Amino acid sequence: MRLVFFGPPGSGKGTQAIRLAQKTGLPHISLGDMLRLEISQQTEIGKQIKSFMDAGKLVPDSITIELTKARIQQPDCKNGFIIDGFPRSLAQADAFDRMLKDLKIDIDHVVYFQIPVDLVIERLCGRVSCPKCGAVFHLKYNPPKKAGVCDRCSSELAQRTDDNETSIRTRFEVYEDQTKPLLERYKNSGQLATLDAGQLIDDVFKDLLKLVGYGGN
Ligand code: AP5
């Protein structure tokens, strides 16, 4: 099964992708996590993209396209994957189509996380995540068992540097201008599957399993 998770910042794509990956064994490919890793490892790419990410802008297509292309050809993606955060622009969608054609594979569903904006802002303001293993928590809706400590790897939790008011506003503008127009393309292709992402985490997950044909449990 090959899935693309699509939706505004904070709609819960990462949270649900991690759960679905645990349930199905499919790899979770998060472009945001891959880019943050480049920054934390201070690679050449990391140095080029930090200012884009902190400001909430898209990093250059040349970087995201190459990273995605290399990642989906790894052996663990042979039987499928969950891509979260790509494509986010027309140029990326075109490049993605070419990639899929070259590799002779298809996407089963583009899952659209539909959610009102006010809910998303509350979610982003309360998010804390683990810089080491990528686990995501929310201070109110999904708190860690011990305050400030990751349930999975016991590292110290942190707020993302782009979860501040200015950057959140820019990320929404970028989503509206560059990413949301892709909805029409995927609707027309018959691949779009819409999820009510405004529900509780467990309820979104139940709907997601049904939507991708993985039972209702
Ligand atoms: P990325 O890391 O992908 O950020 P994003 O798209 O802004 O998405 P988020 O991670 O903010 O939200 P999410 O939908 O995953 O929500 P989450 O599950 O965490 O990208 C960051 C940056 O990288 C971009 O701004 C850009 O610079 C760059 N980038 C990435 N991809 C790129 C690309 N293709 N091209 C160019 N640049 C790219 O949930 C949010 C919070 O809500 C959490 O606290 C969670 O616990 C909580 N929560 C989740 N679900 C629920 C629920 N149902 N009820 C209550 N709380 C919930």
Side-chain angles (χ1 to χ4, degrees):
M1 183 163 51
R2 295 183 188 90
L3 304 171
V4 169
F5 281 9
F6 183 97
S11 53
K13 304 179 297 296
T15 300
Q16 297 297 333
I18 290 169
R19 282 197 170 198
L20 190 63
Q22 279 165 354
K23 177 117 186 153
T24 59
L26 291 172
H28 168 210
I29 303 177
S30 159
L31 259 291
D33 287 349
M34 285 163 70
L35 296 168
R36 279 184 286 278
L37 186 68
E38 298 283 342
I39 293 176
S40 70
Q41 293 180 340
Q42 300 186 336
T43 63
E44 269 316 305
I45 290 180
K47 287 175 199 158
Q48 288 173 47
I49 63 177
K50 186 169 176 3
S51 58
F52 289 94
M53 288 189 73
D54 283 348
K57 295 181 181 160
L58 292 186
V59 311
D61 285 342
S62 53
I63 292 174
T64 53
I65 290 168
E66 283 312 311
L67 283 175
T68 305
K69 197 171 169 187
R71 182 63 186 92
I72 66 173
Q73 293 186 74
Q74 295 292 311
D76 64 331
C77 293
K78 197 165 163 268
N79 296 320
F81 48 72
I82 306 162
I83 295 199
D84 154 19
F86 184 92
R88 291 193 196 219
S89 66
L90 193 57
Q92 290 183 13
D94 287 343
F96 192 44
D97 283 352
R98 286 195 295 276
M99 245 179 253
L100 296 173
K101 198 171 166 204
D102 287 351
L103 296 170
K104 298 188 176 54
I105 54 176
D106 271 324
I107 292 299
D108 296 289
H109 303 284
V110 175
V111 181
Y112 171 40
F113 284 63
Q114 192 171 45
I115 188 166
V117 168
D118 51 341
L119 277 187
V120 160
I121 291 174
E122 192 195 4
R123 287 184 186 184
L124 290 177
C125 292
R127 170 166 61 190
V128 282
S129 48
C130 178
K132 193 161 174 213
C133 76
V136 182
F137 302 89
H138 191 281
L139 297 174
K140 181 171 162 191
Y141 298 115
N142 182 25
K145 291 190 182 92
K146 189 175 168 197
V149 179
C150 178
D151 290 358
R152 274 212 307 225
C153 73
S154 301
S155 298
E156 197 179 332
L157 297 174
Q159 195 175 30
R160 268 173 42 180
T161 50
D162 59 346
D163 277 348
N164 61 71
E165 204 187 319
T166 316
S167 174
I168 290 173
R169 199 175 304 125
T170 306
R171 278 154 63 204
F172 271 101
E173 284 166 10
V174 168
Y175 173 74
E176 288 291 327
D177 292 349
Q178 299 191 52
T179 310
K180 205 172 171 191
L182 296 180
L183 270 180
E184 209 49 38
R185 176 187 184 121
Y186 290 119
K187 212 182 276 171
N188 293 336
S189 74
Q191 290 165 303
L192 197 74
T194 301
L195 191 63
D196 175 2
Q199 311 172 79
L200 297 174
I201 293 175
D202 287 347
D203 294 334
V204 176
F205 191 56
K206 276 186 201 151
D207 282 1
L208 174 63
L209 291 177
K210 280 189 214 148
L211 195 144
V212 299
Y214 208 83
N217 301 311

